[in-house]
Amino acid sequence: MIRIIRYLTAPALIAAGVAAVLSCTEVSPIEMQVNGAVKDYAAVRAFKATDHPVSLTWLQSWTADGNAGAYLSNLPDSLDMVVVMDGYADLSEAHKVDLQSVRETKGTRVIIAADLDGYAAAYSEAMLQAEIDGEDKAYEDALAEDPDGSPTDDELEAAIAAEVDKVHTEYSGLMSALSDDLTAVVGEYGYDGILFKINTVPDDFYRGIIESAIGKAEASDGLLLLEGNPDYFASGLDRFDYIISTTVAQDRISSYQDEYDRLCRYGTFSPERYLVYISLEDSEYETPYPDVISSQPLSDPKYKTLALWNPSGGDPAGGMAVRTLGDAGNGYPVLRKTIQYLQLK
């Protein structure tokens, strides 16, 4: 006689068991709790306190409003610094919890940003308008005295200077108030520093008022960062804890060497304060640098090559600044990998 043995699959066995139980008793639901692996944030904080290449990124919109991409907590745990561009001055309870989580739990430093490029553009427009208004005022005054009259060169110059003085007074006050507001916000919420974004300096007066604003911030507690064109501050680069030059051409690795060599000629430049910069705002970061010298076909994406790059003939840079696509989540897988490569140096 041939025996036929029937094997029940796991689902079938489970179903059979459930049927048997239900046939003899009433089943009460069982509450189950599944705990995820506990991360060792103490080790993360300890590592960030060591001497290592630092990583930095930006968060454009910090709203902490339920959208996963709007929280600091969604940034990679290994990130050293995040620059918040907006939404840092009037914090909700959700903001405060988020801020405490990344600073105290993960040891991530949170920096607030002052975008002075907008002020520079508005100042330049105001100065042009001051010249127009001054000329108009000079001609109006001349015609008021003589219907056929016109202002002298001295009268034109004086009228324009009066309008320019008004602009200078206005922007001197604006810049002073901005610096006061920034330092007050840092003190109120416990941020770790201030970043000044400066790509344009229209004239010497504007340079003077931003120097004063930076000086106020420098006198307060916390880090001081520069993003933009470091050439404007060649004689005082040592006042900044970190420098991010966003003027460097990103299409060739040799551009970073050229930038490094140029900055080294400034006596106030220190390589350990320099963060090399890459933007992930387009797909070019996924392609290799065309000028990498290799016996093998080029395959490493730009972000990997730059993370592992060391300048020739000088000390290593202090780390890397990576601009992602905006909100948390966009480009962060690449940011995570970039940080991993950076720590292999």
Side-chain angles (χ1 to χ4, degrees), residues 48-227:
K48 291 182 181 181
T50 64
D51 185 13
H52 66 283
V54 301
S55 55
L56 176 147
T57 195
W58 290 259
L59 185 62
Q60 191 65 39
S61 179
W62 179 35
T63 56
D65 59 359
N67 178 3
Y71 287 85
L72 299 172
S73 302
N74 281 335
L75 292 160
D77 296 345
S78 53
L79 182 73
D80 289 290
M81 289 183 282
V82 54
V83 178
V84 180
M85 299 300 297
D86 195 12
Y88 52 72
D90 187 15
L91 300 189
S92 65
E93 286 305 312
H95 279 109
K96 294 175 183 177
V97 171
D98 193 30
L99 179 63
Q100 181 180 20
S101 173
V102 295
R103 291 188 71 247
E104 297 183 10
T105 304
K106 299 182 180 181
T108 305
R109 289 178 287 184
V110 182
I111 312 297
I112 61 174
D115 186 350
L116 300 193
D117 289 341
Y119 284 89
Y123 171 82
S124 296
E125 291 181 10
M127 290 292 284
L128 288 174
Q129 190 61 47
E131 186 172 350
I132 294 171
D133 292 344
E135 289 182 358
D136 289 346
K137 182 68 166 58
Y139 276 97
E140 288 174 5
D141 291 345
L143 291 173
E145 293 184 5
D146 181 356
D148 297 324
S150 61
T152 65
D153 289 344
D154 288 344
E155 289 170 338
L156 274 172
E157 186 177 336
I160 292 172
E163 295 300 318
V164 166
D165 283 344
K166 293 178 184 178
V167 176
H168 284 177
T169 299
E170 177 187 2
Y171 278 84
S172 180
L174 285 173
M175 206 58 61
S176 178
L178 172 66
S179 187
D180 289 341
D181 290 344
L182 290 169
T183 53
V185 168
V186 168
E188 180 177 0
Y189 294 115
Y191 293 113
D192 296 283
I194 300 170
L195 175 143
F196 286 94
K197 182 181 177 182
I198 305 169
N199 284 292
T200 304
V201 176
D203 59 25
D204 287 341
F205 178 84
Y206 186 84
R207 181 195 300 272
I209 60 175
I210 63 173
E211 286 277 3
S212 297
I214 291 171
K216 279 188 176 183
E218 188 180 8
S220 64
D221 293 334
L223 300 173
L224 186 63
L225 285 74
L226 172 66
E227 172 195 345

Side-chain angles (χ1 to χ4, degrees), residues 250-316:
Q250 297 181 54
D251 58 339
R252 305 178 77 83
I253 192 65
S254 57
S255 298
Y256 291 92
Q257 183 68 52
D258 294 342
E259 174 88 348
Y260 177 89
D261 291 341
R262 184 175 56 79
L263 291 175
C264 280
R265 288 194 286 270
Y266 298 137
T268 58
F269 174 73
S270 298
E272 66 270 16
R273 299 170 183 258
Y274 177 51
L275 304 183
V276 295
Y277 170 75
I278 190 171
S279 173
L280 308 184
E281 293 175 308
D282 57 43
S283 61
E284 290 299 313
Y285 67 87
E286 298 176 337
T287 62
Y289 287 112
D291 57 336
V292 171
I293 300 174
S294 174
S295 59
Q296 301 296 323
L298 300 180
S299 60
D300 286 344
K302 289 183 176 69
Y303 63 86
K304 177 181 178 180
T305 300
L306 188 59
L308 297 173
W309 174 78
N310 277 314
S312 174
D315 293 330

